[in-house]
Amino acid sequence: MHLATTALRQFWGDSEDRIFLGPWCRPPKDAPLAPDPWASRDALHAAAEEIEVSIDKLLPPISARLNEIHLTSFSDRYWSILISPWLSRYLHFLKDRISRLNSVFEAYPDITFTLLDPRDFRTPLDIENFQDLGFTDAYNLQIFSQLLSHKNKEGPSLSLGRETAAPEKLHPRNFSTLREKADKVLRLLSPDVIVTQLFSKRSDQLKLLASLAGRAGLFLGQLPTSPTTPNKKLRDELQTLPATTELEKAAIALLPINLPTLYLEGYAAARNATVSGWRKRPKLIASSTGWIFDEALKFAAAEFAEDGTLLIGAQHGGGYGQHLDIPTETIERRGRDQWISWGWSDGKSVTPLPSPQTAPLAGIRDPKATFLYFTVNGFPLYPYLIHGFPIGHQIEENIAMQEKFLQGLEGDAAKNLRVRPYWHDWGWNQKARLKAARPDAQTDIPESTFVEGLRTTRLAVIDNVETCFLEALAADIPVIAFQEKRFHRVRPSAAEDFKLLVDAKMLFSDPEAAAAHACSVYANPNEWWESAPVRKAKKRWVEKYAGGTKPWLPAWRNFILGMIKPKNG
């Protein structure tokens, strides 16, 4: 039997007797798939915990080696701020691929495979490029090939024979001369507070900056293009780092090829570009998504934190404080002095504040609205995180649940149905499948935000308890969610809160039950929405998870001013 690891057909082998590692291979209908290592969510949770332990174990030796190479003496925290977002994603990526290969060899010890020629291997430029490559067939084939070689598995190798198309950039940055000039002015002014990518709306960032009366500025740092040619001599020095577990040994073995060039060959130029020209160090830097993907921000913050600059992170979506496994929360909080939530706290440097994303939504509800607004989530073909969501094989099941909900609607609820597919299809053909499940529904929604769609919504239904669910709650729009129980693994601190949703018939594990409830309340959702169980659940969730309803700007302004206030003042 031959193993197909990606959709690149020339690597499927000549035999018709083959098995496909996952749905990303785009296998023929009814073709056999390899065993799913995450069918047990206990195994997934154990893997997520193992990765966090491995990050803590690998960061110190990697930091020490990078200090040696770059002739620096920075702390582990410095390197954690700079590289742990990439290291986390790298380990999640490898743990998933290792587990899938192990499952295959356990079931088929003598399986054959075709490797990628090492001359076609690519080294990522930075974390953004690493993630974009991670969604491609060619880079996944590279990782599978490296892992198989690391396991001393032998097989024929082939070259791609052509340049693969560059992946679509998920986190595009606009570089311009005007931005460069504005950045130079900011460095000359050197305000106490630097903000970037803190809120989903740039206008909200500007409001916060204006409220701080000249004491804050918008970070606009840019980096030179990272080198594309790896330095083999430098990279060979990474292979001698200590490792104990299977995951750690593989991570170190593959590190010379897969460590982004920004952190090695491009380090000196990037560091100089971000830390030079400042009149004085800022007292505080605040961001949300920037702590993962903004490399210029991380270079500046890592160095400034060595001199005492406070680093603030902030929640930017749902799931935080709720899910048992949400690695984005863990990595965004790592190395931060304070982290801002949408209402919850676990006593570990988490400060609840109103969210500018959700707090202003109260009052947008239109009592004359007619639409049943069904919004769905979407996921990449290739898993990129081991988290408490559908992953790999399970995404097909998740889309099937979306189809079952649509097919369960009837009457006026079905006649007024509006379906919002996920903005990116990723290769699952999700939009077409939802359209086929309900041909009479309006599926081609004009370009608009989810919140704009809420303005014409009588009843919202969402296939998860994430950002859109919280935004609907904040807007006081009657909302129902459904999510399969095995993907509904929450931390103990949130268990009672989820029970409130179930008791109020706001959350279902069965999409057909959710459809039946939607049909039953559609004619007059207020009667259900104002019932005692719903009011109790709404109050808890809006205050604890949905950012509350209090004005956000004074709270944020006072928080930041309090953080930079002299200790003796």
Side-chain angles (χ1 to χ4, degrees):
M1 180 170 287
H2 199 82
L3 175 65
T5 59
T6 77
L8 297 169
R9 289 177 173 262
Q10 64 268 43
F11 293 86
W12 285 9
D14 296 328
S15 171
E16 292 298 318
D17 186 21
R18 66 172 65 96
I19 191 169
F20 295 87
L21 194 56
W24 51 83
C25 298
R26 280 77 124 190
K29 187 177 181 181
D30 299 325
L33 291 180
D36 179 7
W38 312 128
S40 164
R41 301 304 277 189
D42 289 336
L44 183 143
H45 177 60
E49 289 190 320
E50 177 193 351
I51 291 167
E52 295 306 319
V53 172
S54 292
I55 292 172
D56 289 335
K57 287 169 64 179
L58 292 177
L59 265 173
I62 293 176
S63 300
R65 185 58 50 86
L66 290 175
N67 272 328
E68 292 172 4
I69 291 172
H70 297 307
L71 303 179
T72 55
S73 56
F74 290 122
S75 67
D76 288 349
R77 187 192 181 200
Y78 170 96
W79 291 108
S80 176
I81 293 165
L82 187 59
I83 71 168
S84 66
W86 168 79
L87 181 61
S88 174
R89 272 168 160 70
Y90 175 60
L91 292 180
H92 277 268
F93 192 94
L94 290 185
K95 181 63 180 179
D96 176 79
R97 287 13 173 216
I98 290 169
S99 299
R100 294 183 186 281
L101 290 176
N102 287 347
S103 294
V104 168
F105 283 109
E106 184 177 345
Y108 308 96
D110 299 322
I111 199 165
T112 60
F113 43 83
T114 306
L115 304 173
L116 177 65
D117 189 321
R119 290 174 294 184
D120 286 344
F121 288 177
R122 295 180 62 177
T123 297
L125 304 181
D126 52 26
I127 186 174
E128 179 184 319
N129 184 235
F130 171 79
Q131 178 141 312
D132 288 342
L133 287 173
F135 296 141
T136 66
D137 295 314
Y139 189 70
N140 277 274
L141 177 61
Q142 169 181 320
I143 294 297
F144 286 127
S145 299
Q146 288 182 279
L147 288 172
L148 287 165
S149 297
H150 174 64
K151 289 174 171 288
N152 296 317
K153 303 288 186 180
E154 297 181 357
S157 65
L158 291 176
S159 173
L160 289 171
R162 57 178 172 77
E163 278 292 322
T164 56
E168 179 179 341
K169 293 179 74 62
L170 301 179
H171 307 276
R173 298 293 301 275
N174 297 320
F175 296 88
S176 67
T177 303
L178 180 61
R179 180 180 179 134
E180 183 180 11
K181 290 179 179 178
D183 181 48
K184 288 181 179 178
V185 172
L186 178 71
R187 297 183 192 213
L188 287 173
L189 295 174
S190 290
D192 291 334
V193 176
I194 302 297
V195 170
T196 183
Q197 299 179 62
L198 184 59
F199 304 137
S200 59
K201 292 183 180 179
R202 176 67 67 89
S203 59
D204 288 334
Q205 284 191 152
L206 296 177
K207 289 176 185 177
L208 178 62
L209 295 177
S211 76
L212 293 169
R215 300 192 66 181
L218 186 65
F219 181 79
L220 297 169
Q222 303 179 108
L223 293 183
T225 302
S226 193
T228 57
T229 304
N231 183 321
K232 186 176 185 303
K233 182 179 179 181
L234 283 181
R235 290 176 172 270
D236 285 346
E237 297 180 30
L238 300 171
Q239 281 189 315
T240 59
L241 295 174
T244 54
T245 67
E246 179 186 28
L247 172 62
E248 293 161 14
K249 290 177 182 177
I252 296 302
L254 275 59
L255 195 60
I257 297 293
N258 296 288
L259 178 71
T261 59
L262 177 64
Y263 309 136
L264 207 60
E265 293 83 0
Y267 173 82
R271 181 188 172 200
N272 181 65
T274 51
V275 302
S276 62
W278 293 85
R279 185 172 54 83
K280 63 180 178 66
R281 300 302 198 225
K283 294 181 179 179
L284 182 148
I285 300 177
S287 186
S288 58
T289 56
W291 293 123
I292 293 182
F293 289 107
D294 191 333
E295 299 284 21
L297 169 69
K298 291 184 291 183
F299 264 93
E303 188 133 350
F304 295 166
E306 297 282 279
D307 296 330
T309 297
L310 297 175
L311 306 184
I312 306 300
Q315 181 173 342
H316 52 85
Y320 295 77
Q322 307 169 22
H323 288 304
L324 190 61
D325 299 307
I326 180 165
T328 49
E329 178 189 325
T330 305
I331 202 61
E332 288 171 12
R333 291 175 60 179
R334 186 184 292 270
R336 254 37 80 198
D337 294 286
Q338 282 286 320
W339 198 81
I340 311 305
S341 78
W342 285 4
W344 58 273
S345 178
D346 60 8
K348 299 176 182 177
S349 302
V350 176
T351 300
L353 287 180
S355 166
Q357 184 169 333
T358 56
L361 298 181
I364 71 168
R365 181 181 178 188
D366 181 357
K368 298 179 181 178
T370 58
F371 282 119
L372 191 159
Y373 193 23
F374 180 46
T375 301
V376 301
N377 209 347
F379 299 98
L381 278 169
Y382 285 101
Y384 70 107
L385 290 173
I386 293 175
H387 51 188
F389 300 92
I391 177 173
H393 301 52
Q394 302 154 11
I395 297 173
E396 285 281 357
E397 302 171 44
N398 194 64
I399 297 175
M401 291 183 69
Q402 298 166 3
E403 294 171 315
K404 287 180 181 179
F405 171 79
L406 290 173
Q407 293 163 350
L409 293 175
E410 56 186 24
D412 287 342
K415 292 176 183 177
N416 291 282
L417 176 62
R418 194 180 194 195
V419 181
R420 184 182 184 87
Y422 192 67
W423 67 276
H424 198 305
D425 187 78
W426 292 114
W428 293 105
N429 203 28
Q430 185 184 36
K431 182 176 179 180
R433 289 173 61 175
L434 297 180
K435 184 69 175 176
R438 201 82 212 194
D440 54 331
Q442 180 184 348
T443 307
D444 298 310
I445 297 178
E447 288 296 327
S448 65
T449 66
F450 169 74
V451 169
E452 287 169 345
L454 286 179
R455 297 179 187 277
T456 57
T457 295
R458 174 182 292 188
L459 176 65
V461 182
I462 305 166
D463 73 328
N464 58 78
V465 189
E466 304 302 322
T467 307
C468 292
F469 180 80
L470 299 179
E471 289 176 330
L473 278 179
D476 198 25
I477 304 292
V479 59
I480 297 168
F482 62 86
Q483 194 167 17
E484 190 178 345
K485 282 186 177 179
R486 61 178 164 151
F487 305 136
H488 197 200
R489 293 167 67 89
V490 302
R491 10 185 129 165
S493 60
E496 287 300 316
D497 302 324
F498 275 88
K499 186 176 183 300
L500 289 177
L501 295 181
V502 174
D503 292 345
K505 294 187 177 181
M506 297 170 67
L507 175 61
F508 296 82
S509 58
D510 178 354
E512 292 162 319
H517 182 60
C519 291
S520 70
V521 302
Y522 172 79
N524 182 18
N526 282 348
E527 183 177 350
W528 160 69
W529 193 240
E530 296 305 324
S531 66
V534 172
R535 286 202 309 270
K536 184 177 180 180
K538 278 196 300 181
K539 185 176 187 299
R540 174 78 63 85
W541 274 75
V542 169
E543 292 176 354
K544 190 174 179 181
Y545 300 112
T549 56
K550 296 179 180 178
W552 68 269
L553 187 56
W556 275 85
R557 177 182 180 275
N558 292 338
F559 167 78
I560 289 178
L561 291 177
M563 290 293 294
I564 63 175
K565 183 179 180 181
K567 292 182 179 179
N568 60 0

